[in-house]
């Protein structure tokens, strides 16, 4: 494969771009908003952030102006809005939601590990009523798709949440979390057995009529087998990977460094595992993949696209650099320009093996 | 909020104490370096290259302290005592997270802030190697800081009754108290510092409090300076003498619990600055929480980074 140029080199001038045959003067769309529903072909040169470079992607019925999403639970839209233009994101994924409010796990909830961190937050969230009352009304100015991330203790809870969110115009899509490693029941229990995963996704699918994304757990022997059953159950897309179950011990106190003993590992430390799993799932299913796991730069994001992801989620990097998503979007656009690539979709699954 | 700050000055405390520094109640100030000290003698970078302090193991014992003076005008204008910054220790991916560090001093006129930290592990170890002239990546000011209580005797006329502000610090918990002492002193309050540490070498910035006109009482676990015992023993005494109008504390958890208990017992308002491992410092990850008494007495978790790090003592449920 042609070696990528450094991502921080100067953007090409318009003339250079034209001479590379990218075509000039695609009409610049002013509004930064969702594309609405309709086939992507209805929007030639559909790219809201710059001319000539097509970075828009499609996930189910969602048209994303670029492939960069926030990973659930790593991005507070209210505090981050000071540093980030939310409407430049591909989509905003909200923190994990349950039907009832959840108090969360006892601290410490964070333990730093080499090139990453363990967390055991335990779904602290205000519940569906809290979302409706305190969160969604404050996101009125967000014009990019808002994706809710849901979890439950039982299949019935998943179903009820999905059916109630189905009627909300503010929520464009659902990410069903069957992979959280930090709660006793629910979460990962649903994501580690192909038939259990099939069952819960089928029930959600019956009541949810918009784009349905299922977030997969890496804590399995064969992630492709789970992905296939999730696809068969009617998911429009899969996102992966959630965190890897891990543990860290303070050798002086001999106590686990997390209050919950074990937690989920994220950050650059897990990226090679995530890229490998995206590649495996890409060969197993036809639905689009949202790849995530330790992405901190545009180059990292491109790895996932080449492995077969249609879009990417940025998670742990948001905790360190709140502007990480913006820098990755800009880096992707620069890469396309530098490599003379018209449409980012050309890169999806383009790894040469 | 997202900014670069130039390191102007770097001070470093080691374990081996000089008689003079001990007499002043300070740990040994081992070496100071200013950005301007480049002209004569050794070049600044060389002159300030850290070298090991004899007879100590910084990672095992955690006894090296560093104070950095940062030029950051915007930050100095906005910062309040008790608030903090998230500092990127290094440019690489490991350590991955930023470090939360409170404002040790806020100098609006000079457009400078100071941070004081203990070298505990890899992150603070890397930060300790940053030199005058280097730029640090900061996010801040973050969180809710200390609120100086209103004067309790307004009937005496403004300013006639000085508020007796008692600051209780344990070890590196002294860091945010100096900024608060400066603010209280500027406002005409009477400042009493009660500072405890393991040993006299761990008593930091004491001369800076004295320079403000603060009264200082010290305690050490090993009896090497001041009261041989807990700093909260001294707080108990102060409260018995009815010499405190309000208490502000930062230090280890057992100390904070005792401060909260004493404040409650003597009916004095107390504010506690808490420390918890943080992911983002921005309220996104909900990683740094403390149990609090919610509405109706129901326990709930609040974010130390966003709802704190300073909390009223009666609000928190310390583990």
């Amino acid at each position: 494969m042609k070696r990528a140029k450094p991502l921080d080199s100067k953007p090409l001038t318009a003339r250079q771009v034209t001479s590379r045959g990218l075509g000039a003067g695609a009409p610049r769309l002013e509004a930064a908003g969702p594309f609405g529903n309709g086939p992507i072909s209805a929007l030639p040169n559909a790219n809201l952030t710059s001319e000539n470079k097509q970075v828009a992607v499609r996930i189910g019925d969602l048209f994303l102006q670029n492939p960069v999403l926030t990973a659930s639970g790593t991005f507070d839209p209210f505090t981050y809005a000071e540093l980030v233009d939310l409407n430049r994101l591909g989509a905003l994924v909200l923190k994990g939601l349950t039907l009832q409010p959840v108090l969360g796990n006892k601290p410490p909830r964070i333990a730093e590990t080499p090139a990453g961190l363990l967390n055991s937050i335990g779904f602290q969230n205000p519940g569906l009523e809290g979302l409706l009352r305190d969160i969604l009304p404050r996101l009125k100015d967000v014009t990019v798709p808002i994706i809710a991330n849901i979890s439950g203790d039982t299949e019935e809870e998943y179903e009820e949440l999905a059916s109630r969110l189905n009627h909300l115009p503010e929520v464009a899509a659902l990410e069903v979390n069957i992979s959280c490693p930090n709660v006793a029941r629910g979460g990962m229990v649903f994501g580690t057995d192909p038939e259990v995963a099939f069952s819960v996704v089928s029930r959600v699918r019956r009541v949810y009529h918009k784009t349905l994304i299922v977030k997969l757990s890496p804590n399995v022997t064969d992630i492709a087998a789970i992905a296939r059953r999730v696809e068969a159950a009617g998911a429009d897309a899969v996102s992966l990977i959630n965190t890897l179950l891990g543990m860290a011990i303070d050798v002086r106190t001999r106590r686990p460094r997390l209050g919950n003993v074990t937690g989920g590992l994220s950050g650059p430390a897990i990226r090679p595992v995530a890229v490998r799993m995206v590649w495996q799932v890409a060969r197993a299913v036809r639905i689009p993949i949202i790849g995530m796991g330790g992405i901190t730069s545009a180059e990292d994001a491109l790895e996932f696209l080449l492995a077969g992801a249609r879009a990417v989620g940025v998670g742990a990097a948001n905790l360190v650099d709140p502007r990480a998503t913006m820098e990755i979007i800009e880096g992707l656009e620069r890469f396309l320009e530098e490599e003379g690539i018209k449409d980012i979709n050309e890169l999806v699954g383009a790894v040469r093996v | 909020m997202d900014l670069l700050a130039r390191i102007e000055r770097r001070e470093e405390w080691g374990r081996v104490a000089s008689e003079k520094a001990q007499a002043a109640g300070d740990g040994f100030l081992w070496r100071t370096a200013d950005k301007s000290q480049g002209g004569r003698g050794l070049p600044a970078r060389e002159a300030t290259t850290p070298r090991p302090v004899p007879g100590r193991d910084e990672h095992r014992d955690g006894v090296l302290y560093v104070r950095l003076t940062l030029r950051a005008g915007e930050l100095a204008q906005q910062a309040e005592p008790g608030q903090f910054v998230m500092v990127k220790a290094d440019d690489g991916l490991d350590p991955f997270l930023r470090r939360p560090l409170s404002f040790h001093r806020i100098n609006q006129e000079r457009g400078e802030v100071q941070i004081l930290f203990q070298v505990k592990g890899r992150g603070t170890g890397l930060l300790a190697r940053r030199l005058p002239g280097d730029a640090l990546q900061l996010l801040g000011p973050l969180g809710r800081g200390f609120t100086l209580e209103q004067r309790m005797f307004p009937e005496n006329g403004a300013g006639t009754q000085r508020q007796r502000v008692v600051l209780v610090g344990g070890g590196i918990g002294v860091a945010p108290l100096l900024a608060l002492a400066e603010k209280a002193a500027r406002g005409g309050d009477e400042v009493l510092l009660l500072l405890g540490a393991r040993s006299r070498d761990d008593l930091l910035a004491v001369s800076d409090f004295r320079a403000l006109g603060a009264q200082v009482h010290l305690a050490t676990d090993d009896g090497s300076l001041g009261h041989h015992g807990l700093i909260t023993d001294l707080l108990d005494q102060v409260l018995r003498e009815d010499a405190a109008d309000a208490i502000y504390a930062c230090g280890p958890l057992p100390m904070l619990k005792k401060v909260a208990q004493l404040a409650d017992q003597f009916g004095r308002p107390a504010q506690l600055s808490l420390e918890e491992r943080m992911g983002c410092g921005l309220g996104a990850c909900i990683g740094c929480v403390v149990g609090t008494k919610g509405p109706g007495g129901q326990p709930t978790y609040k974010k130390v980074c966003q709802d704190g790090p300073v909390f009223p003592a009666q609000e928190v449920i310390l583990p």
Side-chain angles (χ1 to χ4, degrees):
Chain A
M1 182 192 153
K2 195 166 129 198
R3 199 155 161 255
K5 289 173 196 141
L7 295 175
D8 57 357
S9 63
K10 265 194 209 159
L12 299 172
T13 62
R15 180 188 272 176
Q16 282 172 302
V17 172
T18 311
S19 69
R20 281 180 168 210
L22 293 186
R28 188 187 175 102
L29 301 178
E30 289 301 327
F35 288 77
N37 291 326
I40 198 163
S41 56
L43 290 158
N45 302 309
N47 175 4
L48 300 178
T49 49
S50 62
E51 294 174 38
N52 296 329
K53 305 171 298 283
Q54 157 65 300
V55 290
V57 298
R58 179 178 168 173
I59 300 282
D61 290 335
L62 289 183
F63 293 90
L64 309 178
Q65 61 183 345
N66 66 63
V68 179
L69 285 64
T70 59
S72 181
T74 63
F75 188 97
D76 180 324
F78 308 117
T79 52
Y80 280 45
E82 256 184 76
L83 296 154
V84 170
D85 180 358
L86 301 180
N87 291 331
R88 289 196 57 207
L89 292 166
L92 174 67
V93 182
L94 300 179
K95 159 121 187 95
L97 177 77
T98 51
L99 200 51
Q100 300 301 327
V102 172
L103 195 57
N105 289 336
K106 71 173 180 183
R109 292 176 171 184
I110 295 273
E112 193 178 39
T113 54
L117 69 149
L118 286 167
N119 86 79
S120 65
I121 310 301
F123 273 123
Q124 179 171 340
N125 83 93
L128 179 60
E129 296 309 323
L131 176 85
L132 300 177
R133 189 184 59 234
D134 301 328
I135 297 173
L136 288 181
R138 293 164 66 202
L139 293 175
K140 278 201 169 17
D141 295 335
V142 175
T143 54
V144 299
I146 294 174
I147 301 174
N149 174 294
I150 64 161
S151 281
D153 280 345
T154 61
E155 285 190 4
E156 288 71 24
E157 276 181 35
Y158 278 100
E159 188 181 327
E160 182 173 351
L161 258 178
S163 100
R164 291 182 62 183
L165 290 168
N166 187 46
H167 306 295
L168 287 183
E170 300 96 315
V171 176
L174 214 55
E175 182 177 51
V176 179
N177 182 357
I178 56 168
S179 46
C180 179
N182 292 329
V183 286
R185 291 189 298 153
M188 211 167 76
V189 171
F190 293 98
T192 47
D193 181 301
E195 292 319 309
V196 177
F198 177 86
S199 172
V200 69
V201 174
S202 301
R203 285 186 71 156
V204 170
R205 176 77 286 176
R206 277 199 290 276
V207 296
Y208 193 75
H209 307 303
K210 291 184 270 182
T211 298
L212 175 60
I213 304 158
V214 178
K215 189 163 184 176
L216 303 183
S217 171
N219 302 301
V220 294
T221 314
D222 183 1
I223 195 166
I226 310 268
R228 273 192 290 266
R229 292 305 284 154
V230 164
E231 180 182 41
D236 296 309
V238 284
S239 55
L240 62 137
I241 59 175
N242 204 321
T243 55
L244 284 153
L245 193 57
M247 181 172 175
I249 299 168
D250 182 324
V251 296
R252 306 226 166 255
T253 62
R254 302 187 183 185
R255 297 184 67 82
R257 285 170 58 198
L258 291 175
N260 190 46
V261 184
T262 60
L265 182 63
S266 62
I270 71 167
R271 199 173 70 238
V273 177
V275 172
R276 181 264 294 177
M277 288 188 156
V278 165
W279 181 68
Q280 288 178 322
V281 170
R283 300 197 306 171
V285 300
R286 302 174 66 90
I287 52 178
I289 297 166
I290 301 167
M292 64 191 81
I295 295 175
T296 65
S297 67
E299 213 160 331
D300 298 348
L302 286 159
E303 258 197 282
F304 280 85
L305 298 183
L306 291 169
R310 180 74 50 182
V312 294
V314 177
N318 289 320
L319 308 183
V320 182
D321 177 8
R323 287 188 38 80
T325 46
M326 299 293 110
E327 279 153 23
I328 291 167
I329 293 164
E330 286 159 19
L332 289 176
E333 289 171 355
R334 262 201 312 276
F335 182 84
L336 294 195
E337 248 173 23
E338 286 165 10
E339 295 289 310
I341 297 163
K342 258 187 189 164
D343 182 346
I344 202 160
N345 289 283
E346 290 171 25
L347 293 172
V348 176
V351 60
R352 296 172 184 163
V353 286
Chain B
M1 183 158 107
D2 187 359
L3 46 96
L4 280 178
R6 184 81 45 200
I7 300 175
E8 292 289 316
R9 192 160 191 265
R10 179 180 183 282
E11 298 155 277
E12 184 180 277
W13 283 264
R15 171 58 82 189
V16 184
S18 70
E19 290 300 318
K20 198 179 158 197
Q22 286 181 3
D26 269 338
F28 174 48
L29 179 61
W30 191 52
R31 191 176 43 203
T32 301
D34 280 294
K35 206 173 89 179
S36 57
Q37 284 173 348
R40 288 177 173 204
L42 292 168
R45 263 193 108 77
E46 200 173 317
T48 56
T49 299
R51 55 195 160 97
V53 181
R56 45 166 293 280
D57 174 343
E58 65 189 47
H59 287 102
R60 199 198 63 200
D61 240 3
V63 288
L64 181 69
Y65 302 95
V66 173
R67 180 157 75 180
L68 298 177
T69 306
L70 309 173
R71 177 157 299 279
E74 198 187 327
L75 202 58
Q77 298 309 314
Q78 299 166 353
E80 288 290 334
Q83 287 189 301
F84 66 100
V85 279
M86 291 298 282
V87 185
K88 192 98 176 80
D90 192 53
D91 292 334
L93 295 176
D94 188 30
F96 186 61
L97 300 171
R98 292 177 187 242
R99 296 313 191 243
L101 294 169
S102 61
F103 295 109
H104 177 55
R105 255 184 177 158
I106 302 160
N107 190 328
Q108 289 193 352
E109 293 74 43
R110 294 173 62 97
E112 289 178 351
V113 297
Q114 283 187 342
I115 52 176
L116 169 69
F117 59 93
Q118 182 176 17
V119 181
K120 276 184 181 163
R122 261 179 55 76
T124 45
L126 286 165
L127 200 56
R129 291 190 189 100
R130 306 297 287 268
L131 302 175
D134 286 354
L136 283 186
Q137 279 187 53
L138 307 176
L139 280 173
L142 301 172
R144 289 190 189 169
F146 293 107
T147 319
L148 283 168
E149 299 285 338
Q150 295 302 306
R151 285 160 198 282
M152 294 173 74
F153 310 101
E155 67 274 15
N156 293 349
T160 56
Q161 181 68 48
R162 301 173 78 198
Q163 178 94 339
R164 290 163 305 175
V165 166
V166 178
L167 312 182
V168 187
I172 192 64
V174 71
L177 298 180
L178 185 58
L180 181 64
E182 287 182 329
K183 186 177 178 182
R186 270 201 308 276
D189 289 337
E190 195 178 315
V191 178
L192 169 61
L193 171 72
L194 306 179
L195 182 61
R198 271 202 302 189
S199 186
R200 59 184 174 185
D201 298 334
D202 303 301
L203 294 164
L204 304 169
V206 174
S207 54
D208 298 313
F209 284 92
R210 291 209 169 107
L212 290 173
Q215 224 191 105
V216 176
H217 293 302
L218 304 172
T220 50
D221 296 348
D222 63 2
S224 54
L225 196 67
H227 169 66
H228 187 178
L230 299 175
I231 195 62
T232 44
D233 300 341
L234 302 187
L235 177 63
D236 191 351
Q237 207 174 313
V238 166
L239 288 166
R240 277 176 207 288
E241 289 164 6
D242 195 21
D245 293 325
I247 304 162
Y248 304 86
C250 183
L253 202 55
M255 184 200 94
L256 294 180
K257 287 173 93 159
K258 185 69 184 175
V259 169
Q261 182 235 305
L262 289 169
D264 183 51
Q265 183 186 332
F266 289 91
R268 286 288 175 270
Q271 290 171 30
L272 311 178
S273 178
L274 306 185
E275 190 180 48
E276 182 58 70
R277 269 178 267 164
M278 286 184 188
C280 60
L282 296 163
C285 69
I286 326 188
C288 60
V289 293
V290 60
T292 59
K293 293 160 198 158
Q298 282 287 97
T300 180
Y301 283 123
K302 281 197 172 177
K303 302 174 194 174
V304 173
C305 69
Q306 210 171 44
D307 302 314
V310 177
F311 291 90
Q314 69 270 22
E315 188 184 327
V316 290
I317 307 164
L318 297 174

